[in-house]
Amino acid sequence: MYKGTNPSAIRSQKMISNSLIALMQKRPFEQISITKIMETSELARQTFYQVFDSKDEVLEYYLDGLLIEYLNRCKIETVNNLCDAAKLFFQFFHENESFVELLAQNEKNCILQKKCDEYLQDEHFLKFTESGIKNPLEKTFASSFITSGLVGMLINWIQNGKKMSIDELAKLVCRITGTDDD
């Protein structure tokens, strides 16, 4: 995936990712060809291979943008404990639930999990998990545990009709983990 600063390449990445998301609303991911993505984005097919290696990378790129936005929100919101972090996580992805639904419908939850594991190592998000953590390896495991649980609950919540409120979900995270929500 292209990671440079060329404005034209960045613009192409955004156009391609937006085209793929729009197409996924009409048909399954596996039935969408790179040719169709490029027709929809009105870019040359060769442009795809200049900025991405695969369709999965396009989804990863889109998630990169979402998770950067999410972490920026974590920096300005009050996140004092796991309950606060869970509530913010569920609120943010509720706002982006159509994308989460597309991932789930197309069996691409693994991309959401992978990206959450990557981005949610951030100190602003996981600072509350550090009590009792003895070394960097434990921190990695704790982070994986928390992010896997949050992603799993999010997908289950959306797929099952959001029968609990965001507050109830966040409090459930705290009860499951035995953390304080005060």
Side-chain angles (χ1 to χ4, degrees):
M1 178 184 334
Y2 177 77
K3 301 247 188 217
T5 58
N6 179 299
S8 178
I10 293 168
R11 190 171 36 259
S12 294
Q13 284 179 305
K14 287 179 182 175
M15 291 171 70
I16 292 167
S17 68
N18 289 337
S19 294
L20 176 58
I21 302 307
L23 288 167
M24 286 175 69
Q25 293 170 354
K26 298 174 186 169
R27 64 180 76 161
F29 179 83
E30 295 303 325
Q31 293 178 9
I32 300 170
S33 67
I34 291 172
T35 300
K36 187 64 177 170
I37 296 168
M38 299 316 289
E39 285 173 5
T40 303
S41 66
E42 298 180 352
L43 296 170
R45 183 178 165 89
Q46 68 199 40
T47 304
F48 183 92
Y49 296 104
Q50 292 170 346
V51 294
F52 294 112
D53 293 325
S54 68
K55 292 187 307 182
D56 281 0
E57 268 194 5
V58 179
L59 294 176
E60 289 183 28
Y61 172 82
Y62 189 83
L63 264 169
D64 287 338
L66 281 180
L67 286 163
I68 288 168
E69 182 183 337
Y70 172 72
L71 288 176
N72 287 335
R73 196 175 293 180
C74 286
K75 291 175 185 174
I76 59 172
E77 297 284 332
T78 302
V79 179
N80 294 320
N81 54 46
L82 185 56
C83 241
D84 292 343
K87 184 176 179 179
L88 187 59
F89 180 86
F90 294 130
Q91 283 173 335
F92 181 82
F93 282 102
H94 179 260
E95 294 166 14
N96 294 283
E97 81 176 83
S98 61
F99 179 68
V100 175
E101 286 175 333
L102 287 174
L103 291 176
Q105 290 166 1
N106 288 281
E107 298 179 2
K108 294 295 180 182
N109 299 345
C110 58
I111 293 174
L112 178 60
Q113 185 65 56
K114 173 185 172 184
K115 286 298 179 177
C116 283
D117 282 344
E118 179 182 326
Y119 278 89
L120 300 185
Q121 297 285 329
D122 184 272
E123 296 304 316
H124 294 284
F125 181 77
L126 285 176
K127 63 185 175 195
F128 46 81
T129 63
E130 292 190 7
S131 65
I133 302 298
K134 297 177 178 133
N135 58 54
L137 181 60
E138 286 185 359
K139 181 179 178 188
T140 300
F141 286 125
S143 171
S144 292
F145 176 79
I146 298 298
T147 57
S148 294
L150 290 175
V151 169
M153 287 179 73
L154 172 70
I155 291 166
N156 192 313
W157 179 62
I158 289 172
Q159 287 182 324
N160 288 298
K162 300 177 285 191
K163 294 178 182 160
M164 296 175 76
S165 72
I166 290 171
D167 284 338
E168 290 171 323
L169 273 178
K171 288 179 180 180
L172 179 58
V173 168
C174 289
R175 287 197 325 263
I176 291 168
T177 59
T179 54
D180 197 7
D181 65 345
D182 296 325

